Amino acid sequence: MLKNLLLTTLLLCSAAASAQSVFEVNLDPAPYNRSEARTQAVELVLDRLTGGQAQNSWVRDEVGRELSRYLQSEPPGSGYNAVFNEAELLAVLQGAELPFSLAPRPTVLVWLSKEGRARSEANRSWRRASNAYQIPLLWPLWDLDEHMTLDTREPFAAQALREASRRYGAEYWLAVEQGTEGGRWQLFGSKQASPLLEGKLESGTDAVTKLMARLNRYWVERHAQRRAPRPANPAPEQPLLAEVDAGGELTIVVSGLRRFADSVLLERKLRQLDGVGSVFVVDSAGSQGRYRLDISGSRAAVLQALTTISGLTVTGEREFSWSGATGD
């Protein structure tokens, strides 16, 4: 009776952990610097959603640069908390043509043998890693039944693990052998005889976090989805015209901005030009956009530099056409 009560409590705690939105981030402990905390939160939420596929994408720079657009709130509480705007984040992932997953991560039963001794609860590193990737973990009680079935010196005996895991009603279980110099791990599923995943456990304080990131990537790969492409922006009924420039400014009109990603990538390339400071979208109409560049040097030099941007073609005085790719 006591074991059943404890098991029910563990399952309820696991279910509560899985109910948190993937768009909610908690960093505890958090960096002292608020800017650094926000950067870490952005990286984590994108990693969760895409399984790491956003790491080398322009999406990270875009979300970090336009944070007020993507960050919905920063609730009070322990550490640093952030809630991201679901609609805006999914729109930028769609623009980058990145797959993502909103599916809740399944509960994983953890059989941990640390330096030859069975562990039946999560320490701080396991709690942080579980929270970071919202993978709810269930820990075995390691009572007499388990000790009669399992040998902590052989934590990867698949059949013995399967029999012990059945008593917890687990769909997935993770066997981990951890030592001072790292270790190894295997992920099992109730419907497969052989491991679904396996790998080495690194040494260091972030070893478990990297393991959870790998499991998260596995779930995303299995349940990835893509939003249907948005219709391409049409040509505007009333074309935009370049405005009269004030001192220290250069206004250009760009056509051919068919997708959201086109505007983002073009802005990035404009900001990278020598002599260009801030870049603003003054207004847009269909597939056209009017950009204002704050410049510190010669207008002629910046205009010349614009002709070197791959995908940008001169079509008139301060008028250009964009044909750049959506990836970068």
Side-chain angles (χ1 to χ4, degrees):
M1 176 65 72
L2 180 59
K3 180 175 181 178
N4 289 338
L5 180 60
L6 289 171
L7 181 57
T8 300
T9 302
L10 291 171
L11 289 170
L12 288 173
C13 291
S14 178
S18 64
Q20 187 182 14
S21 167
V22 293
F23 297 96
E24 299 176 18
V25 172
N26 169 255
L27 303 178
D28 189 15
Y32 180 78
N33 183 281
R34 177 57 64 95
S35 177
E36 184 179 347
R38 286 170 172 165
T39 298
Q40 287 189 19
V42 167
E43 292 175 351
L44 180 55
V45 75
L46 291 176
D47 200 19
R48 275 183 194 167
L49 288 167
T50 68
Q53 295 189 64
Q55 289 183 1
N56 298 318
S57 168
W58 54 264
V59 167
R60 288 179 62 185
D61 292 339
E62 160 64 12
V63 176
R65 186 177 64 86
E66 298 287 346
L67 192 58
S68 60
R69 176 176 184 173
Y70 299 98
L71 183 59
Q72 183 171 301
S73 63
E74 294 175 302
S78 178
Y80 171 75
N81 299 281
V83 179
F84 288 88
N85 187 302
E86 177 178 349
E88 294 291 349
L89 272 186
L90 295 187
V92 75
L93 293 178
Q94 177 192 34
E97 300 182 355
L98 287 173
F100 59 89
S101 175
L102 304 180
R105 280 41 173 175
T107 299
V108 178
L109 176 66
V110 181
W111 296 99
L112 172 61
S113 173
K114 190 170 183 179
E115 298 178 6
R117 297 181 59 187
R119 302 290 180 172
S120 58
E121 61 182 357
N123 62 17
R124 186 173 182 82
S125 63
W126 281 91
R127 290 194 298 270
R128 288 180 60 190
S130 171
N131 177 65
Y133 288 95
Q134 295 187 344
I135 299 177
L137 303 179
L138 177 65
W139 292 81
L141 301 176
W142 278 102
D143 64 359
L144 183 60
D145 289 338
E146 274 74 32
H147 282 291
M148 291 175 62
T149 305
L150 298 173
D151 185 345
T152 55
R153 294 169 298 180
E154 298 180 10
F156 296 94
Q159 187 56 39
L161 277 173
R162 183 175 297 276
E163 292 176 6
S165 300
R166 281 201 185 107
R167 289 195 285 274
Y168 294 85
E171 184 177 356
Y172 297 96
W173 52 92
L174 180 69
V176 183
E177 186 178 37
Q178 187 174 15
T180 55
E181 301 299 324
R184 61 186 182 125
W185 58 269
Q186 288 183 331
L187 177 70
F188 294 87
S190 60
K191 299 178 182 178
Q192 292 80 19
S194 57
L196 300 172
L197 287 177
E198 57 186 322
K200 292 182 178 180
L201 186 69
E202 299 182 15
S203 59
T205 56
D206 59 349
V208 181
T209 299
K210 291 180 179 179
L211 169 55
M212 290 297 109
R214 180 65 187 92
L215 297 187
N216 179 71
R217 185 161 76 248
Y218 174 74
W219 309 131
V220 172
E221 289 169 352
R222 291 192 63 192
H223 302 286
Q225 56 180 294
R226 295 176 186 265
R227 283 189 163 185
R230 291 179 175 178
N233 294 328
E237 294 183 4
Q238 195 72 25
L240 297 176
L241 301 175
E243 298 175 332
V244 176
D245 292 326
E249 293 180 356
L250 174 63
T251 304
I252 64 172
V253 172
V254 181
S255 303
L257 303 173
R258 303 293 181 183
R259 308 285 183 192
F260 173 75
D262 292 328
S263 298
V264 174
L265 292 173
L266 177 58
E267 281 187 60
R268 288 185 62 199
K269 291 181 179 295
L270 292 175
R271 291 196 304 273
Q272 292 169 359
L273 293 177
D274 290 339
V276 174
S278 302
V279 176
F280 301 94
V281 180
V282 179
D283 52 16
S284 61
S287 59
Q288 279 193 331
R290 181 159 44 207
Y291 293 82
R292 188 182 73 226
L293 285 60
D294 287 345
I295 60 177
S296 57
S298 163
R299 286 167 47 85
V302 174
L303 284 169
Q304 178 59 36
L306 286 169
T307 65
T308 67
I309 294 180
S310 176
L312 195 64
T313 305
V314 179
T315 58
E317 184 180 358
R318 293 187 291 154
E319 295 182 353
F320 300 83
S321 177
W322 172 254
S323 60
T326 58
D328 195 30

